[in-house]
Amino acid sequence: MIKSELVQIIANRNPHLFQRDVENIVNAVFDEITDSLAQGNRVELRGFGAFSVKNRPAREGRNPRTGDKVAVAEKWVPFFKTGKELRERLNK
């Protein structure tokens, strides 16, 4: 599912809302999650899961074509851990 499909499904379930309003709401939710993660905070959606950021320290990697050593810089990556309800629903 892509974001436009999500917007369409929510708009269809809520005919009293305009599609552009639903799109604004979905964008606002994603923007808030992104901003919170960028500040290093954790975002928890009960029953669904939790988003957080993890640090990957600098390391030495290899170029797969040439085999040469390459320095890989430290970076922060998003991490998602599923909630109990989501896991149970997936594993019925």
Side-chain angles (χ1 to χ4, degrees), residues 9-53:
I9 290 168
I10 294 171
N12 290 342
R13 289 185 184 176
N14 297 280
H16 61 285
L17 296 174
F18 292 111
Q19 184 166 343
R20 69 176 183 274
D21 293 335
V22 173
E23 187 172 358
N24 288 338
I25 292 167
V26 170
N27 286 334
V29 169
F30 288 157
D31 288 344
E32 287 302 316
I33 291 171
T34 302
D35 291 345
S36 186
L37 291 175
Q39 294 172 11
N41 297 324
R42 183 173 183 265
V43 177
E44 182 178 336
L45 303 171
R46 296 277 168 137
F48 182 71
F51 296 92
S52 60
V53 290

